Amino acid sequence: GENVEQHPSTLSVQEGDSAVIKCTYSDSASNYFPWYKQELGKGPQLIIDIRSNVGEKKDQRIAVTLNKTAKHFSLHITETQPEDSAVYFCAALLFSGGGADGLTFGKGTHLIIQP
Amino acid sequence: EAGVTQFPSHSVIEKGQTVTLRCDPISGHDNLYWYRRVMGKEIKFLLHFVKESKQDESGMPNNRFLAERTGGTYSTLKVQPAELEDSGVYFCASSPFFGTGSYNEQFFGPGTRLTVL
């Protein structure tokens, strides 16, 4: 089955700096890669996703890059703000024509934005 | 529109007892998923319903766990008897089903924190 590794487990950056979280996956057939943000007391919330036919996707201060050859994808947050502090999870999925199945998640990165 | 809701938010039980967790998906969402996060580890998939049918239950740890979704609306996850290693946060997620060939975002509930003493 799929296995997702995520690094680092904790990341502390100064407000205004950039943050990068990296994930690798094992199943080359996986074709959907979402990133979730979990704030205290809440469930994970999708912030951005990318499909295997795209190398990069950007949404305001957030971007995700995908390297299918290396089986590696990353989340980039620029101009970090205090409200970016949270736990971030990457995930992978082999989405087939039979419908959507369960996501395989990384262990999470606790992002701390220092004022 | 109301999001995915889960009840209870916290549950503390003793080893050997039974606990039932409930999930109410977003109205109209046919896909319903259960996940679990054990302390410090990844969020792991448990099972997937399409309406009232179990589509994939490959992630269920053992036969002490029973999930149901009668009528294709809310779902329950029962743990009987509970063991220490069952402690963790149980998440429910839902998504709409627009037929095969489509993927739709999974919306997560706030989770139920289960502590087995």
Side-chain angles (χ1 to χ4, degrees):
Chain A
E2 176 64 277
N3 182 53
V4 176
E5 298 286 339
Q6 180 172 349
H7 299 279
S9 57
T10 303
L11 177 60
S12 181
V13 301
Q14 290 294 125
E15 182 179 349
D17 288 350
S18 296
V20 180
I21 302 171
K22 299 180 179 182
C23 289
T24 59
Y25 60 99
S26 62
D27 188 348
S28 57
S30 289
N31 55 10
Y32 177 70
F33 307 93
W35 285 88
Y36 282 82
K37 175 183 181 182
Q38 186 182 11
E39 297 174 301
L40 203 60
K42 297 183 179 180
Q45 181 179 12
L46 179 71
I47 55 172
I48 194 167
D49 57 12
I50 192 167
R51 304 195 183 217
S52 59
N53 58 348
V54 175
E56 183 174 358
K57 184 176 178 180
K58 190 174 181 180
D59 182 4
Q60 299 182 3
R61 296 187 296 109
I62 295 173
V64 56
T65 58
L66 172 65
N67 182 330
K68 287 191 298 182
T69 303
K71 292 187 284 187
H72 170 274
F73 58 114
S74 300
L75 177 71
H76 305 253
I77 305 174
T78 59
E79 301 172 15
T80 54
Q81 299 169 4
E83 55 265 35
D84 294 330
S85 294
V87 179
Y88 291 80
F89 293 95
C90 63
L93 173 70
L94 167 57
F95 170 64
S96 65
D101 298 312
L103 295 161
T104 300
F105 284 89
K107 289 187 178 181
T109 296
H110 186 193
L111 177 61
I112 301 166
I113 307 302
Q114 303 278 9
Chain B
E1 178 181 299
V4 177
T5 57
Q6 294 187 244
F7 182 83
S9 56
H10 294 84
S11 181
V12 181
I13 61 172
E14 294 191 349
K15 175 183 173 181
Q17 290 186 321
T18 297
V19 63
T20 300
L21 314 181
R22 172 169 171 146
C23 168
D24 285 79
I26 293 172
S27 177
H29 282 193
D30 289 336
N31 286 310
L32 187 149
Y33 308 82
W34 283 98
Y35 293 85
R36 175 175 75 173
R37 187 184 190 206
V38 172
M39 179 74 75
K41 298 200 172 183
E42 69 275 19
I43 300 171
K44 291 198 75 173
F45 166 76
L46 298 179
L47 89 159
H48 169 209
F49 284 99
V50 177
K51 296 185 179 179
E52 66 275 9
S53 300
K54 291 177 184 175
Q55 184 81 1
D56 179 2
E57 52 184 330
S58 61
M60 293 288 263
N62 49 61
N63 59 11
R64 295 185 294 103
F65 289 75
L66 175 64
E68 294 181 320
R69 194 184 181 194
T70 306
T73 54
Y74 71 92
S75 175
T76 57
L77 180 64
K78 180 161 67 174
V79 185
Q80 178 183 32
E83 298 289 344
L84 299 179
E85 62 265 26
D86 300 333
S87 294
V89 180
Y90 289 77
F91 292 105
C92 175
S94 73
S95 72
F97 183 77
F98 294 138
T100 58
S102 65
Y103 178 80
N104 301 287
E105 174 187 350
Q106 295 183 26
F107 294 85
F108 280 75
T112 293
R113 181 175 296 278
L114 174 64
T115 302
V116 183
L117 302 176

